[in-house]
Amino acid sequence: MNDYNWTGLRLWRTAFAASLLLFLPVSCFVASAFKPSVIPSLITGFVGLLVIGGALYGVKAWSCPRCGSSFARRPKRPWVAPWASLCSVCGLPEYTPTEAAAPPIVTQVTSQETVAPSPKMKGLQRLGSKRTRVALIFAIPLLYLTMCRLPAGEAVKTPSGRELRVLGVMRNKLWMSGHGTMGSVEVAYYSAAPGDISELRDVLGLVIPMTAPSDSIILVNQISNSWWLKAIGIKIERGYPFKRQSDGTWAPGL
């Protein structure tokens, strides 16, 4: 009697589970290590999705040791069951050691006859469906929390003592018709009261010391601080430009 080799299925399942479990911690580590830049986080998320997809494809492509068909493939949604407990074609239970221990092959029946599955087969089918649902329950929140929600920002105190959640401060070059290239400093933060003049002054007091003599514009971007908007990844933003005057002061507008 032939022995069934399940090593490939175990390896692909382990790779798939490990990629799901490590996706969120690795993404959070990269986001904190390279903030405020989002490019490394996006690259990490893209690579992570490729690894998860590749491992899932490996599970789907692994062949049943008895009939040679895809062990985890399913004819109906979700089309693939990573932790399937039996082959959908021949009914071989997972990790059956030898051909002698395997149950009979499930044969196709005509429309006039119906073969009722045994209680053991029903139990294996329910177990496979439950494993798939548990995997989706864990996978979907991991993808959502990593890719959709907005970052928390970094707590910064302004000269007046107000605490703000700042997402980042960047120096850019802007080209304006009639003025040529102008240096600018852009700051983005979560605002509890968008349009509040005193809050804008506090932000200016925080950013002005960071400007260089060549900088002519400060762009303050206020982002809504609503927790549910941040949770689902919606960014509502308002920009307030300020231009350096000839006497060195900053005035709103361009």
Side-chain angles (χ1 to χ4, degrees), residues 27 130 179:
S27 299
K130 184 181 294 184
H179 298 278

Side-chain angles (χ1 to χ4, degrees), residues 89-173:
V89 177
C90 68
L92 178 68
E94 61 181 352
Y95 305 133
T96 301
T98 63
E99 184 179 348
I105 296 178
V106 178
T107 58
Q108 300 292 331
V109 297
T110 64
S111 58
Q112 287 78 20
E113 59 178 342
T114 303
V115 177
S118 64
K120 181 179 180 181
M121 192 69 68
K122 288 183 178 178
L124 291 173
Q125 290 174 347
R126 287 195 295 269
L127 179 61
S129 299
K130 184 181 294 184
R131 289 179 176 179
T132 302
R133 289 194 296 269
V134 170
L136 291 175
I137 288 172
F138 280 99
I140 293 174
L142 285 175
L143 294 175
Y144 166 77
L145 292 174
T146 306
M147 304 301 296
C148 295
R149 65 185 180 91
L150 296 179
E154 186 174 352
V156 177
K157 280 193 174 182
T158 63
S160 66
R162 188 195 304 264
E163 185 174 287
L164 300 173
R165 284 282 173 177
V166 178
L167 275 73
V169 180
M170 295 185 295
R171 177 171 283 107
N172 297 315
K173 293 289 186 180

Side-chain angles (χ1 to χ4, degrees), residues 52-88:
I52 293 173
L56 184 61
Y57 178 80
V59 174
K60 181 181 178 182
W62 189 83
S63 301
C64 173
R66 181 164 68 175
C67 68
S69 60
S70 173
F71 187 85
R73 185 179 180 183
R74 292 296 180 264
K76 297 181 180 180
R77 293 180 181 177
W79 313 118
V80 58
W83 286 275
S85 56
L86 72 164
C87 177
S88 63

Side-chain angles (χ1 to χ4, degrees), residues 2-16:
N2 296 328
D3 292 337
Y4 293 144
N5 185 1
W6 299 91
T7 304
L9 181 62
R10 288 191 177 95
L11 289 176
W12 282 117
R13 283 180 172 179
T14 302
F16 180 62

